[in-house]
Amino acid sequence: MIRVRQSVPVHSPSGVELAGLASLVVAVPAVALLGNSGRRHTGAARRAHLILAAGGAAVTGAALAGLLSALFAHDAMGDHRRTLGQAVAAAMALGTLTLLVGTLMLPGAAENRRAALRHLLDGLIIAAALWFVGWILVSEPTRILGDSTPMGCVALLLGAGVTTVAFGLTAVLAMHAHRPRQVTIRVAAGVSLVSVAATGLPDGICQGRPGFVLLSAVLLPAGLFVVAHAVKVADRPVTVDGDIIQRGTGYAFVPMAAMVLAGTYHILAGGDFAAFGFLGASVEGFALVGRQYLALGDVRSYTLQLRQREAHFRDLAHTDPLTGLANRRGLVRALREPAARDRPRTLVGLDLDGFKNVNDMRGHDVGDAVLAQVGERLRAHLRDGDVAARHGGDEFAVLMWATPEEAMAAGKRLLTVLCEPYETEDGSVFLSASVGVAGSPAPGDTGELMRDADLALRYAKQRGKNRVERYQKRYDELLRRHSVLENELRHAIGRDQLRLVFQPVVALPSVRPVGAEALLRWRHPELGAVRPDEFIPVAEESGLIGMLGSWVLDQACAQLARWLAGGHDVWVSVNLSPKELHAADYAGQVAAVLDKYGVPPQRLVLEVTEHAVATDMDELIRGLVELRSTGVRIALDDFGAGYSSLGQLRNLPVDILKIDHALVAEPESRTGTAAPLVDVVVRLGHRLGLEVLAEGIGTPAQREVVEEAGCRLGQGSLFGWGVPAEHLEAQLRTARSSATRPVPVPRRRPAKITPSAPARSQIIMLGPGMRQVRAVLPTDPAFSGDQDVRSVDAPREMGQS
C-alpha cells in the first residue's frame, strides 16, 4: 500500500515584501558606520557610539529575522504570525531602548547620570501624555481610525509605547541639551524614526499588511543613517550649563493640560477608562513624582553648593592667597569681633626693611617666596586665638589677646624670627624688620587701633629700623606736624618762604674764606623757623626733594655768578640728594643751570653723603661720572660716619673728602691724642689724590689738630655759621683787601742730602680754589733745611688763581 504524502502549502513572498527585505539590508552599512565611529572616538563619545551601534544592530537583526521568518514560514495566516510579530516587537523595542540610552550618553546630551535620568523622566511625562491622548483617539467612542484600528495585535502596543518615549525624549533634548544641540537632536530624531519602524514592522507582520512592512523597512535604515551621520561630530566641545535655575520646566504643564482635556472629552463622550488609559495616567503620575523628587534633590544639592561657594568666597575675601594669612578684611573682621572684658587686645604691625630691593634685584618670584616664608614663620609662632594678617606688600600684622607689655615681648621674638635668613632657589635672602605695637584704646575702635599700630611701625622705621616701638601719644602730634609740613612745603617756593645761607669754607692755617656751602632755610609765617633735619626728610618722603633741589641749585649758581662777577675767587658747594642723583638726565639739568648763569663748572661742588654709598654702587658711580663730565667737582660728605669702605672710596669718582664732624670732635683715644682718625683720613685722602676738608671745627683745639694733620680746608662754627649771601660777601671783601702778596725770596741752593733729612710737603694747584698736598723730597730745589713749606702763607696759595 503506497501512501501519498500531502504537501504543505508554502507562502510565496510578494514584491512588496521582497522590496522591504532589500531595504532592510541597506541598514547593515549604517550599523557598520556606527561601529566604526565608536572605534575611532575615545572617552564618553566612544561608549555612546558603541551603544548606538549595538542598538542599531539589535533592531536591524530583529527586523531581518522577523521578515525572513514571515516570508518563508508555514501557516503564514495563523497564530504563528501574531507570535512572530510579538517576538519581533519585543526585540526591536529592546534595540530601540538601547539606542535611546546611547543618545542620552552622547557628549552634550546630559552632564551626568543624574541629568540623564532627569531627561528620561521628562521624556516619560511627554510620552505618557501622548499615550493617553492616543488611547482616547483610537478607543471607543472616538475610534478615529474606524475599522483600521489595529486592536487585534498586542505587538503594536509595545512598539507604540517605545515610540512615545522616543518622541518625548527628542522633545526634551531639543529644549535642554547643551549647545550646540543640532547633533543631539539629529541623533534623537533618527532614533525616533527607528522607533516608528519598530512599531510598524511588527504590526505589518502580525496583521499581514505588506504596506506597513515596506514603510517600516524604509524608515529603519533611514533613521540609522541619520544617526550614523550625526555622530561623526558628536564629540565636539559643548557648552555645559549645570545651573538648575537655567532649566525651564514650564513644558510639564502642556502634557498635563493635554491629558486633562482629552480625559474630559472622553468622559463627556460617554467613554470608559480601560486598563491602557489607566496605564498612561499612572505613568504620568509616577513620572511627575519622580521628577519632583529629583528636582528637590537638585535644589538641596544646589543649596549646599551655594553655601560651600559662599563659605569659599568668604574665605577668599578674607584670606591672602600668597601667604594663607588673613588679609586686611580678615583682620578688620577679627578686630570687630567682641573681646572678652578681662583680655585686652594688642595689634602688632610688622614691615620688612629693604624688601623692595629684593623684588627689584632678584625678581618678584623670589620676593613672593620670601613673603610665603614670613607667613609660615608667623603661623608657627602664634598663640591660640592670635590672628596673623598680611596688609599688602611686605606689611603684616598680628592681633594678640595680650597686654602691651606682653605684646612687646612677643614683638621682639617675632623680630628675631623674621631677621633669620630666607632660603630661596636664588640663594639666601637677608632682611631685617621693624615692629610697632599698639594697645586697644577703646573696645570696638578698630580704625584707631590700626592707625596707632601704623604710627608705631612708622616711628620704628624712622628711628633706624630693625627695632620694636610702642605707640605713644606724641606720635599723633608728630604725624599732624608731618602732614602740615608736607602741605606747606609744597607752596613754600611760590610764597617766597625759602632762602639760602652760606657757611664759609676757609683755608688753613690762614682762615681765609675760599668757598662756601649753600644751606637751605625755611621760615614759615606761622610755624616759624623749621629745621632742615625736619623738613628735608619730609621732602624726600613726599617726592618734593627734586623741586627743592632744583631751586637750591638755581639760587646757588645765581649767587656764585654775582660773586665771581665781583672779582671774588670763591666756589660754592650744594648738597645733592640720592634721589636727585638717580633722576633722569640730572647731569643735563646741572649743565643747563651753569650755562644759564655763565658759571665755570669747576666753581661748583656737589656734595653726596656717605650714606648714599649704601645704595647701588654701580648706579651711584654712573651718576657721578655723568656729573663730573660736565666739569663740576664731587665731594663725599660726612666721611667716617657711613658705610663706605676703602675699596669703594678708591673707585668713587670724587674730588673732595669731607671729614665728618664726629671724627673731628672725637676725644683723646688710648694713644693719648685727640681725634686720632683725622690724621689717618687726611693721609688717606692725600694718597688717593683727593682734597680733604674737615667740617664741624668748633674750637681752637680742634683747629690745631686738623692743621697738624695737614688738612688745608676747614669748615665749622669756629669760622662762622651759615649767613646770608651779603654777609659772606662782606667777609670776602675784607679778606681780599687784607691779603698781601709776600716778598719774593731769592732762590736758595738745594740743601745737602742727608739720610736723616725728613721729607716735606707743599701745595700744588688743582684748579681755582683747589690745591693738593704733595711730598717734597730733599733732592727737590724747593726743599730747604730751615723752611717748612706748610708755613707758607695759605691765603696766597688757596685763594689766588
Side-chain angles (χ1 to χ4, degrees):
M1 181 177 180
I2 300 176
R3 291 185 178 182
V4 180
R5 193 176 200 179
Q6 188 176 2
S7 62
V8 179
V10 179
H11 174 67
S12 298
S14 65
V16 174
E17 293 173 332
L18 290 176
L21 181 62
S23 180
L24 286 178
V25 174
V26 179
V28 176
V31 176
L33 290 176
L34 285 173
N36 185 48
S37 177
R39 288 192 298 269
R40 287 188 292 106
H41 290 85
T42 58
R46 178 184 179 89
R47 290 191 297 270
H49 293 183
L50 292 179
I51 292 176
L52 288 173
V59 172
T60 303
L64 286 173
L67 188 55
L68 288 174
S69 299
L71 290 177
F72 301 105
H74 299 280
D75 193 14
M77 300 302 294
D79 296 337
H80 178 72
R81 279 186 171 272
R82 286 191 292 273
T83 304
L84 180 61
Q86 293 174 4
V88 172
M92 294 188 71
L94 181 62
T96 305
L97 291 176
T98 304
L99 287 171
L100 291 176
V101 173
T103 304
L104 287 175
M105 294 182 65
L106 284 173
E111 62 267 20
N112 50 44
R113 294 181 179 178
R114 189 179 183 87
L117 180 59
R118 189 187 310 117
H119 290 338
L120 181 60
L121 289 175
D122 289 340
L124 284 177
I125 292 173
I126 298 176
L130 292 176
W131 174 280
F132 186 81
V133 173
W135 173 76
I136 294 294
L137 293 177
V138 300
S139 63
E140 295 290 348
T142 303
R143 287 183 61 85
I144 191 172
L145 298 180
D147 295 337
S148 299
T149 302
M151 300 298 293
C153 189
V154 182
L156 178 64
L157 299 178
L158 185 59
V162 175
T163 300
T164 56
V165 173
F167 277 98
L169 188 60
T170 302
V172 171
L173 292 178
M175 291 183 289
H176 294 297
H178 301 303
R179 300 182 185 277
R181 297 171 180 168
Q182 291 82 357
V183 173
T184 306
I185 294 175
R186 287 203 299 267
V187 173
V191 174
S192 298
L193 291 178
V194 173
S195 68
V196 173
T199 302
L201 185 65
D203 182 64
I205 295 175
C206 180
Q207 301 193 49
R209 298 181 178 181
F212 278 25
V213 172
L214 179 60
L215 179 62
S216 300
V218 173
L219 291 178
L220 178 61
L224 290 178
F225 272 109
V226 170
V227 174
H229 182 268
V231 296
K232 289 183 179 181
V233 293
D235 57 343
R236 290 180 180 177
V238 294
T239 303
V240 178
D241 183 9
D243 191 351
I244 64 172
I245 64 174
Q246 301 295 330
R247 304 171 191 152
T249 55
Y251 62 87
F253 291 96
V254 176
M256 287 299 302
M259 291 183 65
V260 170
L261 291 177
T264 303
Y265 163 77
H266 189 68
I267 293 175
L268 293 177
D272 297 329
F273 282 98
F276 294 115
F278 179 76
L279 176 63
S282 300
V283 171
E284 182 78 11
F286 281 109
L288 286 174
V289 172
R291 185 64 178 83
Q292 185 67 19
Y293 176 80
L294 284 181
L296 291 176
D298 289 340
V299 171
R300 285 193 298 268
S301 176
Y302 187 72
T303 303
L304 180 60
Q305 291 179 10
L306 285 181
R307 291 177 179 176
Q308 293 174 347
R309 291 178 183 178
E310 182 181 2
H312 175 66
F313 288 123
R314 188 186 300 112
D315 292 339
L316 288 180
H318 295 86
T319 304
D320 177 61
L322 178 61
T323 62
L325 304 177
N327 58 12
R328 189 176 185 87
R329 291 191 185 93
L331 179 62
V332 171
R333 181 177 65 175
L335 286 170
R336 289 176 178 173
E337 293 179 356
R341 295 183 179 180
D342 56 342
R343 299 181 65 191
R345 295 188 303 179
T346 304
L347 187 62
V348 179
L350 306 102
D351 185 88
L352 300 178
D353 302 329
F355 179 76
K356 184 177 183 300
N357 294 331
V358 176
N359 280 335
D360 294 341
M361 302 301 294
R362 301 199 180 187
H364 289 274
D365 291 340
V366 175
D368 290 346
V370 171
L371 293 177
Q373 291 186 40
V374 171
E376 294 174 0
R377 295 182 186 185
L378 290 179
R379 277 194 298 269
H381 292 81
L382 289 181
R383 304 180 306 176
D384 293 338
D386 294 345
V387 178
R390 179 189 175 205
H391 280 203
D394 60 339
E395 294 185 9
F396 295 83
V398 178
L399 178 62
M400 307 182 67
W401 303 96
T403 63
E405 291 76 14
E406 294 173 339
M408 284 289 292
K412 294 178 180 179
R413 291 194 300 270
L414 291 176
L415 181 63
T416 303
V417 170
L418 296 181
C419 289
E420 295 177 357
Y422 298 88
E423 300 299 331
T424 66
E425 295 180 355
D426 195 44
S428 300
V429 176
F430 298 89
L431 292 173
S432 62
S434 300
V435 181
V437 178
S440 179
D445 197 349
T446 60
E448 187 173 355
L449 179 58
M450 296 179 68
R451 186 182 64 87
D452 292 348
D454 288 340
L455 284 178
L457 176 59
R458 185 174 182 177
Y459 192 66
K461 298 184 76 68
Q462 290 178 351
R463 294 193 64 185
K465 304 178 181 179
N466 195 24
R467 59 188 297 121
V468 181
E469 289 290 338
R470 181 177 174 181
Y471 169 77
Q472 300 179 21
K473 288 289 186 181
R474 64 187 183 91
Y475 292 171
D476 287 328
E477 300 176 2
L478 294 175
L479 178 62
R480 284 191 293 269
R481 173 79 171 180
H482 185 281
S483 178
V484 170
L485 290 179
E486 180 179 342
N487 292 332
E488 294 298 321
L489 192 57
R490 296 182 183 276
H491 310 287
I493 295 178
R495 295 171 181 173
D496 197 23
Q497 298 174 358
L498 301 179
R499 63 187 180 93
L500 290 183
V501 297
F502 298 87
Q503 187 175 25
V505 176
V506 301
L508 298 175
S510 64
V511 197
R512 179 182 183 277
V514 294
E517 180 179 359
L519 303 173
L520 182 61
R521 296 293 182 263
W522 180 21
R523 178 170 290 278
H524 191 274
E526 297 179 0
L527 301 176
V530 185
R531 293 172 54 88
D533 59 357
E534 185 179 12
F535 71 81
I536 292 298
V538 173
E540 291 182 343
E541 282 187 34
S542 59
L544 299 174
I545 192 65
M547 176 186 68
L548 295 183
S550 298
W551 184 86
V552 170
L553 180 63
D554 185 87
Q555 296 296 310
C557 289
Q559 183 59 54
L560 178 58
R562 288 191 289 269
W563 283 337
L564 294 176
H568 301 293
D569 185 12
V570 69
W571 47 267
V572 170
S573 64
V574 175
N575 289 284
L576 177 62
S577 168
K579 291 187 177 181
E580 294 179 90
L581 180 61
H582 296 155
D585 196 27
Y586 182 73
Q589 300 176 25
V590 173
V593 174
L594 292 173
D595 183 67
K596 174 182 176 181
Y597 294 105
V599 174
Q602 65 271 19
R603 296 283 182 168
L604 177 64
V605 177
L606 297 178
E607 298 187 9
V608 181
T609 61
E610 191 186 7
H611 295 280
V613 180
T615 61
D616 186 3
M617 177 60 69
D618 294 336
E619 182 69 18
L620 176 64
I621 293 177
R622 185 194 61 81
L624 294 180
V625 168
E626 289 183 359
L627 285 176
R628 290 191 73 192
S629 66
T630 65
V632 302
R633 298 192 178 274
I634 307 297
L636 184 60
D637 197 10
D638 300 333
F639 182 78
Y643 306 95
S644 59
S645 64
L646 297 181
Q648 292 172 333
L649 182 61
R650 181 181 58 185
N651 296 327
L652 286 176
V654 297
D655 304 284
I656 303 174
L657 203 61
K658 297 188 69 173
I659 305 176
D660 186 67
H661 64 87
L663 298 184
V664 175
E666 186 179 5
E668 290 188 2
S669 64
R670 292 174 295 178
T671 62
T673 58
L677 292 180
V678 172
D679 182 71
V680 175
V681 175
V682 171
R683 290 177 180 271
L684 174 64
H686 289 170
R687 284 295 186 95
L688 295 176
L690 305 177
E691 185 62 79
V692 182
L693 187 156
E695 58 181 349
I697 302 176
T699 64
Q702 294 173 358
R703 170 188 170 185
E704 181 180 358
V705 171
V706 170
E707 290 179 355
E708 290 179 356
C711 185
R712 295 297 178 173
L713 295 175
Q715 181 182 353
S717 59
L718 183 63
F719 313 115
W721 297 99
V723 294
E726 55 271 18
H727 293 180
L728 183 59
E729 185 174 0
Q731 297 180 27
L732 293 175
R733 285 197 300 267
T734 302
R736 183 179 181 185
S737 61
S738 62
T740 58
R741 185 176 297 274
V743 179
V745 180
R747 185 169 183 150
R748 299 185 179 183
R749 180 178 300 177
K752 181 180 180 180
I753 301 176
T754 59
S756 61
R760 299 185 183 275
S761 61
Q762 69 175 171
I763 306 298
I764 61 175
M765 169 79 78
L766 288 180
M770 291 292 181
R771 304 296 187 272
Q772 175 62 60
V773 179
R774 75 173 178 87
V776 183
L777 300 177
T779 56
D780 197 313
F783 180 85
S784 62
D786 58 349
Q787 180 186 5
D788 187 353
V789 179
R790 290 187 299 173
S791 64
V792 176
D793 186 43
R796 175 177 63 84
E797 297 164 342
M798 300 299 295
Q800 303 296 329
S801 51

